[in-house]
Amino acid sequence: MKILILFLGFFISTGFGLQAWADAPVFSANGFVCGKKGVTVTCKGPLTNGKDTITGTGHNVIYLTVNTVTAGAPTRYTYFSDTGCLVGYTFNAAGNPVAAVASHRSGAKKNFDFGEGKYEPLLNFCADDKAVSKSTASSGAATPSAPTEEKK
């Protein structure tokens, strides 16, 4: 996670990310509905309890995060508007992420293990435009829903 934050921080601080984010796509997927007007992005989607929703508004890219407990374990769900990916992270007793279930905007799901803190496979899966539309793995840690259409 630190690598991802450092990478994003570098892009933002150097100005490289500003143009890239200005042109970032916005996807409605996994139960989240997103829209973009100018540089303003708004996304709304379901919480894991099935009754409540979360809404966020920002510039160019929105990452919505909800912390919860699933089967007694701390779990964090994050939706990425630029990829349409919904990720459910589980944590160890020290508070470090140990695994994740990602649901690609195509509907494909995959489990990831962060044994050595390597997040690149997860990032590549979420950014892949050609992820197959079948479930490659499932877990009780995250239950992302089916994708909806893309909006730009």
Side-chain angles (χ1 to χ4, degrees), residues 23-36:
D23 298 332
V26 173
F27 293 96
S28 292
N30 290 305
F32 286 81
V33 177
C34 299
K36 184 173 185 178

Side-chain angles (χ1 to χ4, degrees), residues 60-124:
N60 299 313
V61 176
I62 297 293
Y63 297 157
L64 297 176
T65 299
V66 176
N67 293 322
T68 186
V69 175
T70 303
T75 307
R76 174 176 294 146
Y77 292 92
T78 302
Y79 180 76
F80 301 90
S81 70
D82 57 341
T83 63
C85 202
L86 178 62
V87 181
Y89 302 92
T90 53
F91 298 84
N92 62 15
N96 299 318
V98 293
V101 178
S103 179
H104 190 273
R105 67 180 174 268
S106 70
K109 295 180 186 176
K110 189 170 181 182
N111 287 337
F112 294 90
D113 181 13
F114 302 135
E116 296 181 18
K118 296 187 179 181
Y119 297 93
E120 289 83 11
L122 171 65
L123 298 173
N124 292 336

Side-chain angles (χ1 to χ4, degrees), residues 5-20:
I5 292 170
L6 290 173
F7 178 76
L8 291 174
F10 170 77
F11 260 34
I12 291 170
S13 66
T14 60
F16 290 114
L18 296 179
Q19 180 60 35

